[in-house]
Amino acid sequence: MSRLEALAKILEARAQATSGLVFNYTVPDLWNCFDYGGAELRKTPWGELVVNPYQFYLSVIRDFIQPKASARSGWGEPLNGSRELEPGLEGGDWIRRATVYSMMVRTSTAWDHDRSGSLEDVDLYGLKETGTFVKSLALLSLLHKMGITCVYLLPISKFSLKDKKGELGSPYGVSSFFELDPSLKDPMTGPDFTVEDEFRAFVEACHILGMHVMIDIIPRTNALDSDLILEHPDWFYWIRKEAMATYKPPYVPGLGTQVRPKAEFLPVIYQSEEVRQHLSSFQEDPAAADPGRWAELRARLEAHPEEGVLDAVRAAFGLTVAPAFSDQINDPQPAWTDVTFFRMYLDHPVAAVPFLDRAYAPYILFDVIKSNLFQGKVRNEPLWDLLAGIIPYYQREFGIDGARIDMGHALPKELVERIIHSARTVDPDFCFIAEEMEIERAEASRALGYNMILGDGFIQEPRVQEFKAHKYMYGAQSLPCPVYACGETHDTPRLAAREGGRTLSRLITILNLFVPNGVPFLNSGQEVYELQPMNTGLDCRPNEALLLDPKDPYYGRLALFDRYALHYLNPGRWELPDQLAWLAGLRQANLATFTRPGNAFLLGFNSPRDPGIAFGFRDDDARDAQREAGNLFVVVGNTDVHNSQYLTVQLQTMRAVSGNSARKGAQLFSSHGLAREVHDYDHRGDLSMSFQPGEVKIIRM
Amino acid sequence: MSRLEALAKILEARAQATSGLVFNYTVPDLWNCFDYGGAELRKTPWGELVVNPYQFYLSVIRDFIQPKASARSGWGEPLNGSRELEPGLEGGDWIRRATVYSMMVRTSTAWDHDRSGSLEDVDLYGLKETGTFVKSLALLSLLHKMGITCVYLLPISKFSLKDKKGELGSPYGVSSFFELDPSLKDPMTGPDFTVEDEFRAFVEACHILGMHVMIDIIPRTNALDSDLILEHPDWFYWIRKEAMATYKPPYVPGLGTQVRPKAEFLPVIYQSEEVRQHLSSFQEDPAAADPGRWAELRARLEAHPEEGVLDAVRAAFGLTVAPAFSDQINDPQPAWTDVTFFRMYLDHPVAAVPFLDRAYAPYILFDVIKSNLFQGKVRNEPLWDLLAGIIPYYQREFGIDGARIDMGHALPKELVERIIHSARTVDPDFCFIAEEMEIERAEASRALGYNMILGDGFIQEPRVQEFKAHKYMYGAQSLPCPVYACGETHDTPRLAAREGGRTLSRLITILNLFVPNGVPFLNSGQEVYELQPMNTGLDCRPNEALLLDPKDPYYGRLALFDRYALHYLNPGRWELPDQLAWLAGLRQANLATFTRPGNAFLLGFNSPRDPGIAFGFRDDDARDAQREAGNLFVVVGNTDVHNSQYLTVQLQTMRAVSGNSARKGAQLFSSHGLAREVHDYDHRGDLSMSFQPGEVKIIRM
């Protein structure tokens, strides 16, 4: 039986069993884009709905998701797994037409359902207030409304709770690749339905709604107390536990700060006094140091796994796993205390050997970290096999459709190829996204088999005043693979918290739907103008984590580490979802027009310093014909988020190519106004219109 | 069995029956000044408590109220009913030592318990969200903390819902004196425990906590569709129903506006064209007009009371009861559409007869309204008997201790005396408060048997900048009976909404505890700095009803007519209650000192325009002795609510009388600071101290 159907049956039984009970359990109205009709439903004036949770989540399956299931069965299989590839596209290139929503299950469906003032593990009703896959089914109704076709999940694997960051720990400190984070288990389903079952049901639901599911896998790093230590102590780097107190990335004089390691820097790196001290602090792994004692310890821990492997090793051997740190030389950030690196090679980097004055135990250093650039001779084959097996596990078990590879840029090329190959063997249309921010490296990523790269839109796009948004959005078209059209991620400041606030956020979010060769990417919370970042990893101001009202219950909290619920009750919460819903209709009805390479025109203005971004699109079904009218879309945004602007969009080239000579058009959409006829052409036939601050208009002509 | 005990037993049974159920039912933490210890209790960060309502209200009885019951029984009897009067005091003069809290049951314990966003009659749990006597038991814990010793209830009798004002109607439109407002019935107790039982339990609880209970009775007016019409149509004034459209207080040229009627104005009044038209609109009562048809109608209505008497009379006779209006000539306010006047006399005012040009049906006019000044010859004896029987009914049925007589100033002197006499026959210590705002008329009220008058502190006290507070507070001592020391009532603006805001409210509220010959009076909501008035009857600005944030659920609502809950979650909610709690301890420990006439000194400052109010008190137990130190209290307030002030309080007279020559004292209390030693005396021995804006200090010396 389908896991979604099994889940529905469980909820049905619970709904019946609880039908006489009063539930003062609330969900934000944004989770109800399926017109829930439970008899017990009450709507509060501020946007919370009071519901019987079992009825509510049952209804989203029965009344919203399942009726959308077409005749096809096997929704638990990858969405495109058995399909022929489109001509001209490679496996996984469906991402070119996708609209991606990045969510963190724990946070995106967190809610203080009983309004006790805290997000409890067990609330008044015995239910979980942090997010779960089951609750995410309701959120899917919002995603569907907004035209999302791909759900990208931040890590969902089991992570370490040892020395955890924040209240809950970071899901990036993975301790076991082949178990799901047990905190995502929903108590509504009882003990017989596992969190794995719940994820399966979620994937099925996404597939029925036409959404691909992508996950984030993290093959370069692992939790300090990884479950793998016990069997494979030699896959890790070791230091004496006393050395932890002074452990840090060693300073290399003479190279400046935040320098990417290159071969020519190695002599300088290895001459550094701090580097030599650093290297000396590493030790043989405990099994190598004392195989007999290791065997004893291993036997004991297998009998008593609750003891905790890292604590046991520390106690027995005085050794501990060495923390990871940035791959950039002289990066000011300290060591990452919750994760370490895997030993990709069992020997030192070949290029480094000439600079080593003696035999050192396996060590972490900038070159070692960048194992794509600095390789050893002896591959850690069992590790590589394990890493290449992660995605196939998630494909077979859950039917996922794609993955982003975290720190893929620091993996040996051969390992990346092996990972990609393994996945594409299972599903030739599996999509891979490279964590590659440098758009210059798009070609290399494409060559490795990635379908697209991240890019750094989240740094460039918010900077409209410096014209960086313009450069990024106009530049994407010339890249050999798509990039994310993306104004914020879980690691960056929120668009609504940048200079320009909500006006900027709306401008960028809407324009991103139309960036040629860009894949629209929405970060959970972006649709409700969330201010607080989920993490302060990239491009953050010193006060970035303190943007909320100090009286806000989530003041100073970061979703990546803490209990956090998005501000779903924000009075402007429906503004972007409603506009995105309309735009999704336009996009879906003209998907080939907006996404097929060659249809787009980069449109200029009277002056290169005019604050505007404009794209033209020629109808895909008329791309080889000339037409006098009715074959073009023009999308124009006023990138001045503070002032109204009168902008003239140059159309001559596009008119010449398409044959369009229309002097009348239709304003289909404005972020600030209504649909209307357009007669605003100048004597040359260029569009000349007035825009409110940050306004985006879409003209059909 | 005591009704309180019976109530406890009912709640106990319901608490047991519901012990397994989840209640997401909240109360404001201010209602829990008894340290509720239910296992299910959860506290939200913003001040709501999540409780099982049955457990919670049970606990306030079992754990807070009942343990305070002394050996005396009969808590349902008037508190002082069987006691000897104190020498020098007359019956009811216990009010001189009281601290009064004015509450409106429907509003004071209203709460959105299920947080649905509206105050429902039947909430998620089937419970009532407007106030009830049962819920008021919890509020008593706050009142007890604040030192309240007398609870004064706005009208609790059944009122008319016909053409009601606002959402719920005004409790001042009484339709039956001998029934309680059925909307005050609490569903927690089920159908077998009546609202009368609940009021009895409430009175018992008050008495156990040492609080007298006073009610508001309204003998001058009655609802337009009074239950009394059916039996006594001749007790009312009648007009043709078509005349309602143009009905208004008639204009009298040549007298100015808002003029109190006097005998010498009668010629002018009765010459007015509008007055003559007004008189002509009145009709004989329907029974007199057609006794046969009246008998039929009466028989029908007795069989079908649901039909509504006034509607039936309108339909059958084309007549309707004439609305009341202000007793002041040319008052700009329109007729009061929900009440009428009783016919106190069955003939026209004797003084008016010479000016009547023909026989008129009984009519309402300024002289008729002021039946204390303009009497007829034929008393309406059955009505007078009924009105004089109201209070004895409440005494016998519920054990109340006192009453305020609404519009007593417009009742014939003989009727007032009859009302007072009837009540004092039942309970010689029954207290009467005259609705008399003119302090010049204190003597007359005292002569009628009233214990005290209202005064107009709520108009004078807020006006600190005009020194009206000073005049009122210093002036009270010379009055022949006490007045309320009172900065706001249910009819006036809130102190916190006046110029000076919370600073003013705190200053006046605290000083009121010490006004010589003043009875401290707290208006429900005043303790949490409520901004919105309950009614805009007196001294209100045009925007007085629009003081809340437009997004506030109670924006524009008035408690007297609408569903309204006080802002019990206000972040400053504990400020005044905590200070009042401390001050109550001081007052109770020195009650005779602060309240016995002759102990108080009115203290001056260096200049009469210094912004200060100061009172001295000589220890009551040393009032006939001279002591060098330790026999005086000084209470000083800085009446400048915007600026710090350095004030010098003149102590010479008080020192001379009391013998006190201390140059050292103890600051027991400051509204803005801590206790400390006081050495701040100048060369003359006067207190010279610095005060923060609105600060009150209490010095012991």
Side-chain angles (χ1 to χ4, degrees):
Chain A
M1 181 165 56
S2 131
R3 288 297 86 191
L4 187 62
E5 177 58 25
L7 172 59
K9 285 209 158 34
I10 291 170
L11 293 174
E12 211 155 40
R14 296 287 297 135
Q16 275 168 18
T18 60
S19 71
L21 298 180
V22 175
F23 282 90
N24 196 340
Y25 172 102
T26 65
V27 293
D29 59 7
L30 282 167
W31 297 11
N32 173 27
C33 296
F34 62 98
D35 198 15
Y36 175 62
E40 86 291 4
L41 170 68
R42 298 195 184 197
K43 301 183 182 188
T44 70
W46 51 85
E48 275 180 299
L49 307 179
V50 182
V51 296
N52 173 320
Y54 303 99
Q55 289 283 9
F56 179 74
Y57 299 110
L58 172 63
S59 172
V60 75
I61 301 176
R62 286 276 191 253
D63 304 322
F64 174 69
I65 298 168
Q66 288 182 331
K68 295 193 170 45
S70 61
R72 157 186 168 157
S73 67
W75 295 108
E77 306 298 315
L79 198 52
N80 301 358
S82 55
R83 219 200 45 183
E84 290 286 305
L85 292 183
E86 267 186 69
L89 297 184
E90 297 181 26
D93 277 350
W94 51 260
I95 195 74
R96 291 170 180 266
R97 297 193 166 180
T99 303
V100 179
Y101 185 88
S102 164
M103 69 181 271
M104 177 169 169
V105 177
R106 181 173 82 191
T107 298
S108 298
T109 55
W111 198 247
D112 182 11
H113 299 292
D114 65 358
R115 296 181 282 174
S116 64
S118 56
L119 287 177
E120 291 140 327
D121 293 329
V122 180
D123 77 358
L124 264 185
Y125 300 101
L127 299 181
K128 190 169 280 182
E129 300 196 328
T130 51
T132 68
F133 291 114
V134 177
K135 295 198 283 173
S136 298
L137 298 179
L139 189 68
L140 288 182
S141 73
L142 171 64
L143 271 50
H144 187 261
K145 171 190 168 89
M146 298 192 298
I148 299 302
T149 65
C150 176
V151 179
Y152 162 63
L153 302 174
L154 299 201
I156 55 173
S157 301
K158 183 180 163 194
F159 59 89
S160 169
L161 296 174
K162 185 167 176 59
D163 307 327
K164 63 174 187 278
K165 283 190 182 175
E167 298 167 323
L168 297 174
S170 165
Y172 281 89
V174 172
S175 63
S176 174
F177 290 117
F178 303 101
E179 290 172 82
L180 296 189
D181 171 9
S183 81
L184 299 179
K185 170 79 179 90
D186 198 307
M188 273 190 283
T189 59
D192 297 335
F193 204 70
T194 64
V195 65
E196 282 77 15
D197 288 325
E198 295 171 11
F199 182 42
R200 280 182 200 107
F202 174 79
V203 173
E204 282 180 43
C206 289
H207 287 171
I208 290 173
L209 297 173
M211 300 177 193
H212 293 92
V213 178
M214 302 190 78
I215 64 168
D216 200 0
I217 71 152
I218 305 147
R220 187 68 193 89
T221 58
N222 214 227
L224 278 192
D225 66 333
S226 169
D227 291 1
L228 293 166
I229 291 176
L230 200 56
E231 203 168 343
H232 304 290
D234 56 326
W235 290 6
F236 298 88
Y237 300 95
W238 297 88
I239 55 174
R240 301 215 59 81
K241 66 177 181 188
E242 301 78 25
M244 274 296 275
T246 54
Y247 186 85
K248 64 180 175 62
Y251 181 70
V252 180
L255 283 185
T257 57
Q258 286 180 283
V259 180
R260 291 174 192 276
K262 296 182 182 173
E264 58 262 39
F265 297 155
L266 291 183
V268 184
I269 294 172
Y270 281 89
Q271 271 172 20
S272 155
E273 185 55 33
E274 280 200 19
V275 167
R276 287 184 182 265
Q277 282 173 17
H278 174 77
L279 298 189
S280 303
S281 67
F282 285 84
Q283 306 290 325
E284 289 299 311
D285 74 73
D290 190 338
R293 198 134 56 91
W294 180 257
E296 271 173 44
L297 179 134
R298 196 174 155 183
R300 200 181 79 220
L301 280 167
E302 277 164 1
H304 301 283
E306 72 284 358
E307 214 181 308
V309 55
L310 194 58
D311 283 337
V313 181
R314 283 177 186 170
F317 292 85
L319 293 175
T320 190
V321 172
F325 48 82
S326 167
D327 60 357
Q328 297 195 16
I329 302 163
N330 300 340
D331 191 318
Q333 60 179 317
W336 307 338
T337 55
D338 55 344
V339 291
T340 185
F341 290 113
F342 280 124
R343 276 181 75 196
M344 290 297 164
Y345 293 92
L346 296 175
D347 55 352
H348 299 308
V350 175
V353 171
F355 307 107
L356 295 173
D357 58 339
R358 63 171 176 85
Y360 288 100
Y363 60 84
I364 299 174
L365 198 60
F366 314 108
D367 49 352
V368 174
I369 299 170
K370 295 293 277 183
S371 58
N372 55 326
L373 298 176
F374 302 94
Q375 302 168 8
K377 279 186 256 174
V378 190
R379 290 178 183 169
N380 188 346
E381 284 290 349
L383 171 64
W384 289 31
D385 282 347
L386 178 130
L387 297 177
I390 298 171
I391 292 176
Y393 168 79
Y394 282 89
Q395 292 176 295
R396 290 198 195 93
E397 285 289 317
F398 306 106
I400 62 163
D401 306 287
R404 185 193 78 137
I405 302 185
D406 186 76
M407 284 193 79
H409 55 78
L411 294 175
K413 177 170 169 287
E414 297 77 11
L415 175 55
V416 172
E417 286 168 344
R418 197 185 291 189
I419 289 172
I420 291 178
H421 178 76
S422 307
R424 292 257 169 79
T425 304
V426 177
D427 171 11
D429 212 9
F430 195 82
C431 175
F432 278 100
I433 299 178
E435 193 203 4
E436 180 57 73
M437 289 167 54
E438 295 175 64
I439 53 172
E440 298 79 16
R441 297 185 48 79
E443 182 70 53
S445 294
R446 186 74 185 161
L448 277 170
Y450 286 110
N451 296 94
M452 66 173 288
I453 65 168
L454 226 54
D456 61 349
F458 38 88
I459 291 172
Q460 308 302 331
E461 292 192 348
R463 292 176 162 77
V464 285
Q465 287 182 303
E466 303 162 52
F467 282 77
K468 293 194 172 172
H470 309 62
K471 193 176 169 199
Y472 186 81
M473 290 188 178
Y474 281 124
Q477 196 184 35
S478 61
L479 299 178
C481 72
V483 289
Y484 273 138
C486 160
E488 62 173 73
T489 75
H490 69 276
D491 267 336
T492 72
R494 297 286 191 169
L495 273 171
R498 301 262 196 179
E499 166 72 22
R502 292 184 177 197
T503 303
L504 175 76
S505 182
R506 193 157 41 151
L507 167 76
I508 297 296
T509 303
I510 295 174
L511 281 182
N512 275 340
L513 296 176
F514 301 99
V515 174
N517 206 30
V519 174
F521 177 101
L522 209 64
N523 182 35
S524 186
Q526 183 177 346
E527 71 273 31
V528 291
Y529 300 123
E530 183 76 25
L531 285 176
Q532 178 77 346
M534 299 173 94
N535 184 26
T536 52
L538 273 171
D539 204 26
C540 284
R541 293 158 289 190
N543 67 334
E544 197 71 47
L546 304 173
L547 294 180
L548 297 173
D549 186 315
K551 285 184 213 140
D552 189 286
Y554 304 110
Y555 175 76
R557 310 278 177 98
L558 294 175
L560 218 56
F561 314 111
D562 299 319
R563 290 179 199 278
Y564 196 93
L566 298 169
H567 292 78
Y568 282 127
L569 297 183
N570 167 359
R573 65 192 177 278
W574 287 103
E575 204 172 281
L576 266 177
D578 284 344
Q579 295 205 347
L580 289 173
W582 191 92
L583 293 163
L586 180 75
R587 186 174 153 94
Q588 285 308 314
N590 301 278
L591 193 56
T593 296
F594 290 123
T595 61
R596 196 159 155 213
N599 292 340
F601 295 83
L602 308 179
L603 304 179
F605 296 83
N606 274 356
S607 146
R609 300 310 278 177
D610 278 352
I613 291 178
F615 305 117
F617 298 92
R618 187 181 185 182
D619 279 13
D620 188 69
D621 57 9
R623 60 190 270 154
D624 301 322
Q626 295 248 323
R627 293 216 182 127
E628 285 186 11
N631 61 341
L632 296 178
F633 290 94
V634 181
V635 178
V636 195
N638 170 17
T639 58
D640 186 334
V641 293
H642 298 299
N643 305 290
S644 291
Q645 291 285 350
Y646 198 86
L647 296 172
T648 300
V649 187
Q650 295 178 342
L651 304 180
Q652 295 96 318
T653 307
M654 184 168 67
R655 284 187 185 274
V657 172
S658 66
N660 188 301
S661 58
R663 287 295 188 276
K664 187 178 130 182
Q667 178 175 302
L668 303 178
F669 172 89
S670 155
S671 56
H672 291 61
L674 302 172
R676 66 171 176 92
E677 277 195 357
V678 172
H679 300 274
D680 318 43
Y681 297 95
D682 66 11
H683 62 285
R684 290 171 305 186
D686 288 344
L687 260 176
S688 263
M689 302 180 83
S690 164
F691 290 78
Q692 296 194 45
E695 183 176 11
V696 183
K697 300 185 185 205
I698 300 178
I699 317 289
R700 176 66 165 161
M701 58 182 278
Chain B
M1 180 164 58
S2 132
R3 288 297 86 189
L4 187 63
E5 177 58 25
L7 172 60
K9 284 207 160 37
I10 291 170
L11 292 174
E12 210 155 43
R14 296 288 296 137
Q16 275 169 17
T18 60
S19 72
L21 298 180
V22 174
F23 282 91
N24 196 341
Y25 172 102
T26 64
V27 292
D29 59 6
L30 282 167
W31 298 11
N32 173 25
C33 297
F34 62 99
D35 199 15
Y36 176 62
E40 87 290 5
L41 170 68
R42 297 195 184 196
K43 301 184 181 187
T44 70
W46 51 84
E48 276 181 298
L49 307 179
V50 182
V51 297
N52 174 320
Y54 302 99
Q55 289 283 8
F56 180 73
Y57 299 111
L58 171 64
S59 172
V60 76
I61 300 176
R62 286 277 191 252
D63 303 323
F64 174 69
I65 298 170
Q66 289 183 330
K68 295 192 171 45
S70 61
R72 156 185 170 158
S73 66
W75 295 108
E77 307 297 316
L79 199 52
N80 302 358
S82 55
R83 218 199 46 182
E84 290 285 306
L85 293 181
E86 265 187 69
L89 296 185
E90 297 180 26
D93 276 350
W94 51 260
I95 195 73
R96 291 171 180 266
R97 297 192 166 181
T99 303
V100 178
Y101 185 87
S102 164
M103 69 182 270
M104 176 168 169
V105 176
R106 182 174 81 191
T107 299
S108 298
T109 56
W111 198 247
D112 182 12
H113 299 293
D114 65 358
R115 296 181 281 175
S116 64
S118 56
L119 286 178
E120 292 140 328
D121 294 329
V122 179
D123 77 358
L124 264 186
Y125 299 101
L127 299 181
K128 189 167 280 183
E129 299 196 328
T130 52
T132 69
F133 292 113
V134 176
K135 295 199 283 174
S136 297
L137 298 178
L139 188 69
L140 288 180
S141 74
L142 171 63
L143 271 50
H144 187 261
K145 172 190 168 92
M146 298 192 298
I148 300 302
T149 66
C150 176
V151 178
Y152 161 63
L153 301 175
L154 299 202
I156 55 174
S157 300
K158 184 179 161 193
F159 58 89
S160 169
L161 297 174
K162 185 166 178 58
D163 306 326
K164 64 175 187 278
K165 283 191 183 175
E167 299 167 323
L168 296 175
S170 164
Y172 281 89
V174 171
S175 63
S176 173
F177 290 117
F178 303 101
E179 290 172 82
L180 297 188
D181 171 9
S183 83
L184 299 179
K185 169 78 178 92
D186 198 308
M188 272 189 284
T189 59
D192 297 335
F193 204 70
T194 63
V195 65
E196 282 77 16
D197 288 326
E198 294 171 11
F199 182 42
R200 283 181 196 106
F202 175 80
V203 173
E204 282 181 42
C206 289
H207 287 171
I208 290 173
L209 297 173
M211 299 177 192
H212 292 92
V213 178
M214 301 190 78
I215 64 169
D216 201 358
I217 71 153
I218 304 146
R220 188 67 193 89
T221 58
N222 215 227
L224 278 192
D225 66 332
S226 168
D227 292 1
L228 294 167
I229 291 176
L230 200 55
E231 203 169 344
H232 304 289
D234 57 325
W235 291 5
F236 297 88
Y237 300 95
W238 296 89
I239 55 175
R240 299 215 62 81
K241 66 179 180 185
E242 301 78 26
M244 274 295 275
T246 54
Y247 186 86
K248 63 182 174 60
Y251 181 69
V252 181
L255 284 183
T257 58
Q258 285 180 286
V259 180
R260 291 174 193 275
K262 295 183 184 172
E264 58 262 40
F265 297 156
L266 291 183
V268 184
I269 292 173
Y270 280 89
Q271 271 172 21
S272 156
E273 186 54 34
E274 280 201 20
V275 166
R276 287 185 182 263
Q277 281 172 17
H278 174 77
L279 298 190
S280 302
S281 66
F282 285 84
Q283 307 291 326
E284 288 301 310
D285 73 74
D290 189 339
R293 200 135 53 94
W294 181 257
E296 271 172 46
L297 179 133
R298 195 173 157 183
R300 198 181 79 221
L301 280 167
E302 276 165 359
H304 301 282
E306 71 283 358
E307 215 181 307
V309 55
L310 194 57
D311 283 337
V313 181
R314 284 178 187 169
F317 292 85
L319 293 174
T320 189
V321 172
F325 49 82
S326 166
D327 59 358
Q328 297 194 17
I329 303 163
N330 301 339
D331 191 318
Q333 60 179 315
W336 307 337
T337 55
D338 55 344
V339 291
T340 185
F341 290 114
F342 281 123
R343 277 181 74 198
M344 290 297 165
Y345 293 93
L346 297 175
D347 54 351
H348 299 308
V350 175
V353 172
F355 307 107
L356 295 173
D357 57 340
R358 63 172 176 88
Y360 287 99
Y363 60 84
I364 299 175
L365 197 61
F366 312 109
D367 49 352
V368 174
I369 300 171
K370 293 294 275 185
S371 58
N372 56 324
L373 298 176
F374 301 95
Q375 301 169 10
K377 279 187 254 173
V378 190
R379 289 178 185 172
N380 188 346
E381 284 291 346
L383 172 64
W384 289 30
D385 281 347
L386 179 129
L387 297 177
I390 299 171
I391 292 175
Y393 168 79
Y394 281 89
Q395 291 176 297
R396 290 198 195 94
E397 285 291 317
F398 307 106
I400 61 162
D401 305 288
R404 184 193 80 137
I405 302 186
D406 185 75
M407 284 193 78
H409 54 78
L411 293 176
K413 176 169 171 287
E414 297 77 11
L415 175 56
V416 172
E417 284 169 344
R418 199 185 292 189
I419 290 171
I420 292 178
H421 177 76
S422 308
R424 292 257 170 80
T425 304
V426 178
D427 172 9
D429 213 9
F430 195 82
C431 175
F432 277 99
I433 300 177
E435 194 203 4
E436 181 56 73
M437 288 167 55
E438 295 175 64
I439 54 174
E440 298 79 15
R441 298 185 48 78
E443 183 70 52
S445 296
R446 185 75 187 160
L448 278 171
Y450 286 110
N451 297 95
M452 67 174 287
I453 64 169
L454 227 54
D456 61 348
F458 37 87
I459 290 173
Q460 307 303 331
E461 292 192 348
R463 293 176 161 77
V464 286
Q465 287 182 305
E466 304 161 51
F467 281 78
K468 292 195 171 172
H470 308 64
K471 193 176 168 200
Y472 186 82
M473 290 186 177
Y474 281 126
Q477 196 185 35
S478 60
L479 298 178
C481 73
V483 289
Y484 272 139
C486 160
E488 63 174 71
T489 76
H490 69 277
D491 267 337
T492 72
R494 297 285 191 171
L495 273 171
R498 302 261 196 180
E499 166 73 21
R502 293 185 177 197
T503 303
L504 175 75
S505 182
R506 191 156 45 152
L507 168 76
I508 296 294
T509 304
I510 296 174
L511 281 182
N512 274 340
L513 296 176
F514 301 100
V515 174
N517 205 29
V519 174
F521 177 100
L522 209 65
N523 181 35
S524 187
Q526 183 177 348
E527 71 273 32
V528 291
Y529 300 123
E530 183 75 23
L531 285 177
Q532 178 77 345
M534 299 173 92
N535 183 26
T536 52
L538 274 172
D539 204 25
C540 283
R541 294 158 288 191
N543 67 335
E544 197 73 45
L546 303 173
L547 295 179
L548 298 174
D549 186 315
K551 285 184 214 141
D552 189 288
Y554 304 111
Y555 176 76
R557 310 278 178 100
L558 295 176
L560 218 56
F561 314 110
D562 299 317
R563 291 180 198 276
Y564 195 93
L566 298 169
H567 292 78
Y568 282 127
L569 297 183
N570 165 0
R573 66 192 177 278
W574 287 103
E575 207 173 280
L576 265 178
D578 284 345
Q579 294 204 348
L580 288 173
W582 191 92
L583 293 163
L586 180 75
R587 185 175 154 94
Q588 285 307 315
N590 301 277
L591 193 56
T593 296
F594 289 123
T595 61
R596 198 160 155 212
N599 290 341
F601 296 83
L602 308 179
L603 304 178
F605 295 84
N606 274 357
S607 147
R609 300 311 280 179
D610 279 352
I613 291 177
F615 305 116
F617 297 92
R618 186 181 189 182
D619 279 14
D620 187 70
D621 57 8
R623 59 190 269 153
D624 301 320
Q626 295 249 323
R627 292 218 181 123
E628 284 186 12
N631 60 341
L632 295 178
F633 290 95
V634 180
V635 178
V636 195
N638 170 17
T639 59
D640 186 333
V641 292
H642 299 298
N643 304 290
S644 293
Q645 291 286 351
Y646 198 87
L647 296 172
T648 299
V649 187
Q650 294 178 342
L651 303 181
Q652 295 97 316
T653 307
M654 183 166 69
R655 285 187 185 274
V657 173
S658 67
N660 187 301
S661 59
R663 286 295 189 276
K664 188 178 129 180
Q667 177 176 304
L668 303 178
F669 172 88
S670 154
S671 56
H672 290 62
L674 302 172
R676 65 171 177 91
E677 276 195 357
V678 172
H679 301 275
D680 316 44
Y681 297 94
D682 66 11
H683 62 286
R684 290 172 306 186
D686 288 343
L687 260 176
S688 264
M689 302 179 84
S690 163
F691 290 77
Q692 296 193 45
E695 183 176 10
V696 182
K697 300 185 186 208
I698 300 177
I699 316 290
R700 176 67 166 160
M701 57 183 280

